[in-house]
Amino acid sequence: MDAPSYTLSKIAERDNLAVYELFFGPNHPGMHGNFGYVLEMIGTEIVKVRPNAGHLHRGFEKLMEQKLWVQNIALVPRICVVDPDPNEVAYCTAIEKIMGVDIPDRAKFIRTITLEMSRLTSFLMGMGALGAALGLYTPMYIMMADRDLILDLFEWLTGARIYHIFNIPGGVRNDLPEGWVERLNEVLDHLEKRLIEYDKLVFENPIIHKRLKGLGYISKEEAIRTGITGPNLRASGAAYDVRVDDPYAAYPYLDVKVITQDGGDALTRAVQVRLEFEETIKLIRQALKEMPDGDVRLNLGNLSMLKVPKGEAYAKVESSKGEFGYYVVSDGGLKPYRVGVRGPSLPAGLLYAQKHLPKMKIDDVAAWMASLAICPPDIDK
Amino acid sequence: MMAVLRVFLFGIFAIFIGLLFMGIGRKVIARIQLRYGPPFYQAFLDVGKLFARKSITHNFVMDLGMVMALGGLLATMLFVPIAGHVAVKTSTNLIVIMYLMAIGYLGMAMAVAASGNPNATIGVSRALTMMLGYEVPFFTVILGLIIVNGTSSLELISQSQAGSILNWNMIKFPLAFIAAEIALQAMMGEKPFDAMIAPAEIASGPMVELSGKYLGLAFLTHAVSIFVETAIIVNLFMGGASNIFTFVLKQFEIYLITIFIEAVFPRFKIEQAVKFLWTVPIGIAVLQLLLILL
């Protein structure tokens, strides 16, 4: 998708106006992570944009070929910092598909619960970042404090706050500790109460409505064609959710409600996240209620000597930002032959930057980025 | 000699109170955001630290502009009566005060435009546009009060409200007070009118190239501007005060209102802000003006 030719550059040529470069990132308070856009600007209006990627490039896909199957589990969550669990689950599910094993039901439910908790943390961060992009810092601080309550639970369960490394081929590392479920219920109650405050602060604020309405419009057909997934796609009116259309983990046993809205602009996307946040809380409650007893992992022998039989598989997981897909090829050895990762932020961060940013004022860039929930590490990989 | 000392003391007093307000404001905002927040004297530590640092200058205009910004606002301060005391006993004409206040902002504009950073230039052009936005409603309010009192002297306007609380212009002309409060929010550069410093958009705008002593000077300028602007509102609408302590307390009340609004509002885009300022507060102020005239 080429940057559309824009008459402002012709006007600038005629009137001898200066076209200057403005670096929006990697060092910019409005940018998430080590990513940047080089904006060619006239006055405060953007004429042309060049995504400036590579600051976060760690060569994940190649690196995974050098490491043991189980070592890679420590590597994959780093592809999306704010929502790490979908990576682990997608990678492990792909391995299990190649091996042809079915993990215990309780492990499936625990995976589902951690996935949804991870979604909550990511949504809290996303909603806070949207507020901060528009200068509203109060909900950001409150949401970060609430996110910490979930991170505490993760620490209790897995020993780590951000990169949990909890899922392994054949299930999860350990069962839920005693008292953990009760605490999770308390936290969920707390978050539900807080939603009223979030609504008042962010989603009912007239200035937020004024600023986000009509910003970064994506139509349904266009979203499907360019590969936008997750809440962004559902905010454009397409009812597609991997949890329903190609269920994994415990989702076949659960009743997942797919919320869609017609609007496709930044405001609709923000409200979409807010609605799905509520739905996620309900889903965790449902999973806790229906969780069976039993083992949480299969005995696959010594995991560091794990040999995955020859074959290939693709596993996809619905993350808070869209669809994460892992294509894993094994040649029967101790290490993967090839791992391909499909991240959700690639079309939003690269294609739509070319489409939306020209003609946009510098005022809206941060809000546009936050509304599309662009996660730079998964662009760079 | 005494006059020079007096001017000096007034300047120090304004800076002290301004920095104190800034620190308390940060603490109040932190509590609204469910944080603990820095100590109330944090602004003094910040300024002290910044003045102890090495700083980078781009050219002579930048040096001059920063000093002009602080100087302009300190000069304004000298004409504002504080609990009946005025630093320079000449006139306390409102027009002169408003005119001098603009000089401070122009100095800041000059300094940061000289730094050559596009973020800073965008920020300063926004600040000057915002000035155009808030001065029109504020002058409309002032016009009404000048007509009522038959004088443009801030001291006389404040004296005319002496006695009971019912004599305050805030009670007598509530619409004018509301319009002035909205204009004050923009004057102080607090949300929703902080498009000029917007960190997420233009990386803090004017402040982006300031380091060390220059940032320290910008802090002091902001402190004095808080003092001057709240003092003008207290004199115009809350009847000044008989002693300095009461005066500062009234100033603090005004500052607290702006801080509360600052904490829970996102920011307008610059064009939305000017459109808002040129419709809502001007409408209210003109309505008050008509009520006064008719």
Side-chain angles (χ1 to χ4, degrees):
Chain A
M1 207 187 284
D2 252 10
S5 67
Y6 180 27
T7 44
L8 188 63
S9 51
K10 283 176 197 152
I11 296 170
E13 217 167 88
R14 192 192 65 206
D15 292 355
N16 216 1
L17 291 175
V19 180
Y20 64 94
E21 272 190 347
L22 190 69
F23 280 65
F24 197 87
N27 249 335
H28 194 287
M31 176 57 68
H32 323 159
N34 305 346
F35 181 66
Y37 292 114
V38 181
L39 308 173
E40 278 180 31
M41 312 241 306
I42 295 172
T44 58
E45 207 162 325
I46 299 160
V47 186
K48 214 174 156 189
V49 59
R50 182 158 53 82
N52 182 11
H55 301 280
L56 209 55
H57 183 68
R58 284 162 286 180
F60 279 114
E61 294 183 357
K62 198 70 193 162
L63 205 56
M64 278 192 241
E65 294 167 16
Q66 323 292 322
K67 291 184 180 291
L68 298 174
W69 287 101
V70 73
Q71 278 181 316
N72 283 335
I73 294 170
L75 195 62
V76 289
R78 282 155 174 86
I79 291 177
C80 189
V81 185
V82 283
D83 195 6
D85 289 65
N87 295 283
E88 293 177 18
V89 173
Y91 176 71
C92 292
T93 313
I95 295 175
E96 286 150 10
K97 270 189 184 172
I98 301 174
M99 295 177 83
V101 295
D102 193 27
I103 63 166
D105 275 356
R106 191 173 171 82
K108 286 181 187 171
F109 273 86
I110 294 177
R111 272 189 186 177
T112 305
I113 290 168
T114 51
L115 277 174
E116 295 300 318
M117 278 166 65
S118 173
R119 186 191 311 280
L120 283 184
T121 59
S122 170
F123 278 166
L124 282 171
M125 202 150 172
M127 291 192 283
L130 183 72
L134 297 167
L136 184 60
Y137 293 98
T138 305
M140 184 188 79
Y141 282 109
I142 298 177
M143 283 166 185
M144 281 310 211
D146 286 348
R147 177 174 173 268
D148 249 42
L149 297 176
I150 306 176
L151 295 189
D152 286 344
L153 280 165
F154 267 128
E155 193 179 0
W156 190 359
L157 176 65
T158 70
R161 295 175 76 81
I162 306 290
Y163 302 128
H164 311 126
I165 317 174
F166 183 58
N167 297 281
I168 49 171
V172 294
R173 266 198 288 132
N174 51 276
D175 206 343
L176 305 178
E178 212 174 301
W180 190 85
V181 175
E182 288 75 34
R183 177 67 191 143
L184 176 59
N185 274 318
E186 277 172 36
V187 171
L188 293 180
D189 289 343
H190 170 80
L191 287 176
E192 246 173 2
K193 266 182 226 150
R194 272 286 162 76
L195 267 176
I196 304 163
E197 251 170 83
Y198 299 161
D199 280 352
K200 278 185 195 156
L201 270 171
V202 188
F203 299 104
E204 289 167 9
N205 195 310
I207 300 179
I208 294 228
H209 280 241
K210 210 170 184 170
R211 287 204 54 175
L212 291 184
K213 201 152 201 174
L215 178 70
Y217 172 74
I218 303 176
S219 71
K220 184 177 168 183
E221 292 70 31
E222 205 181 18
I224 294 170
R225 189 166 55 81
T226 47
I228 292 276
T229 46
N232 296 342
L233 176 66
R234 292 193 283 277
S236 287
Y240 173 75
D241 191 325
V242 186
R243 291 176 294 177
V244 175
D245 296 312
D246 189 6
Y248 50 94
Y251 292 110
Y253 312 116
L254 298 174
D255 176 29
V256 185
K257 193 175 150 204
V258 181
I259 300 168
T260 55
Q261 290 186 92
D262 304 312
D265 62 349
L267 181 63
T268 322
R269 288 196 286 271
V271 174
Q272 180 76 20
V273 168
R274 154 72 183 77
L275 295 174
E276 293 198 5
F277 185 83
E278 208 172 346
E279 208 47 45
T280 305
I281 294 178
K282 283 183 194 153
L283 205 58
I284 298 180
R285 289 232 170 89
Q286 206 185 335
L288 284 174
K289 214 164 78 184
E290 293 179 15
M291 188 159 55
D293 289 333
D295 287 338
V296 295
R297 58 193 283 190
L298 290 175
N299 188 3
L300 295 178
N302 183 356
L303 277 181
S304 53
M305 296 306 284
L306 181 72
K307 274 189 181 165
V308 176
K310 198 169 175 182
E312 54 185 62
Y314 182 75
K316 51 187 175 179
V317 165
E318 177 83 16
S319 86
S320 63
K321 301 177 188 304
E323 180 183 321
F324 255 110
Y326 273 67
Y327 181 63
V328 180
V329 183
S330 170
D331 60 354
L334 282 168
K335 295 166 186 172
Y337 176 74
R338 176 82 173 87
V339 180
V341 184
R342 186 250 184 239
S345 297
L346 200 88
L350 301 181
L351 294 180
Y352 281 95
Q354 299 287 344
K355 188 171 160 24
H356 284 160
L357 289 185
K359 289 194 185 187
M360 195 187 272
K361 291 262 170 77
I362 183 80
D363 310 39
D364 291 328
V365 181
W368 169 82
M369 264 202 83
S371 87
L372 276 171
I374 293 168
C375 181
D378 105 57
I379 296 174
D380 259 351
K381 284 201 283 283
Chain B
M1 188 61 209
M2 274 311 286
V4 173
L5 198 66
R6 198 178 159 82
V7 166
F8 191 71
L9 272 177
F10 266 80
I12 295 288
F13 181 69
I15 287 172
F16 177 79
I17 295 293
L19 287 177
L20 192 67
F21 278 12
M22 273 163 80
I24 299 175
R26 279 176 72 177
K27 190 93 186 165
V28 170
I29 287 192
R31 286 300 163 93
I32 294 173
Q33 294 172 341
L34 306 185
R35 291 185 288 127
Y36 187 73
F40 71 93
Y41 51 83
Q42 184 63 41
F44 294 97
L45 303 182
D46 284 349
V47 170
K49 176 201 74 180
L50 288 170
F51 274 96
R53 283 231 176 136
K54 243 200 256 174
S55 32
I56 301 161
T57 175
H58 290 264
N59 47 39
F60 169 69
V61 180
M62 190 170 157
D63 305 359
L64 189 75
M66 291 311 296
V67 177
M68 182 172 151
L70 182 59
L73 275 161
L74 279 174
T76 319
M77 209 273 310
L78 303 181
F79 293 92
V80 179
I82 298 152
H85 306 281
V86 189
V88 183
K89 279 186 181 139
T90 47
S91 103
T92 56
N93 195 309
L94 262 171
I95 314 263
V96 174
I97 290 170
M98 293 309 291
Y99 178 75
L100 278 174
M101 226 161 80
I103 287 182
Y105 290 115
L106 289 175
M108 191 59 120
M110 203 165 92
V112 302
S115 72
N117 188 315
N119 284 317
T121 317
I122 294 174
V124 141
S125 71
R126 284 181 181 186
L128 295 179
T129 317
M130 191 72 86
M131 208 158 102
L132 214 66
Y134 68 69
E135 288 211 326
V136 182
F138 200 69
F139 268 106
T140 318
V141 168
I142 288 178
L143 186 66
L145 293 177
I146 290 176
I147 291 171
V148 169
N149 291 290
T151 170
S152 65
S153 159
L154 193 53
E155 199 172 10
L156 292 180
I157 290 178
S158 112
Q159 275 167 12
S160 73
Q161 307 165 51
S164 114
I165 194 169
L166 292 173
N167 290 341
W168 288 7
N169 285 338
M170 190 175 138
I171 310 290
K172 282 199 284 188
F173 310 110
L175 289 178
F177 179 66
I178 293 169
E181 268 293 309
I182 299 174
L184 178 77
Q185 196 77 19
M187 228 186 256
M188 296 235 237
E190 306 282 16
K191 288 177 192 82
F193 305 106
D194 73 332
M196 61 280 247
I197 40 170
E201 293 162 16
I202 46 170
S204 297
M207 266 121 73
V208 71
E209 284 290 322
L210 303 179
S211 60
K213 296 176 183 69
Y214 295 89
L215 193 56
L217 275 175
F219 259 69
L220 294 187
T221 311
H222 186 56
V224 180
S225 78
I226 287 173
F227 184 85
V228 170
E229 283 151 11
T230 47
I232 291 173
I233 294 284
V234 168
N235 277 317
L236 278 179
F237 289 101
M238 297 171 86
S242 52
N243 62 53
I244 287 184
F245 181 73
T246 327
F247 191 85
V248 171
L249 211 63
K250 282 180 179 174
Q251 274 181 301
F252 184 63
E253 281 164 24
I254 294 290
Y255 184 63
L256 218 51
I257 295 174
T258 56
I259 283 296
F260 286 155
I261 297 173
E262 148 102 5
V264 293
F265 268 92
R267 73 175 70 85
F268 275 125
K269 277 201 240 181
I270 182 68
E271 58 263 34
Q272 290 170 342
V274 174
K275 205 174 153 193
F276 179 83
L277 285 167
W278 279 5
T279 46
V280 180
I282 285 195
I284 298 171
V286 167
L287 192 66
Q288 183 72 72
L289 194 62
L290 288 176
L291 286 177
I292 289 169
L293 288 175
L294 299 176

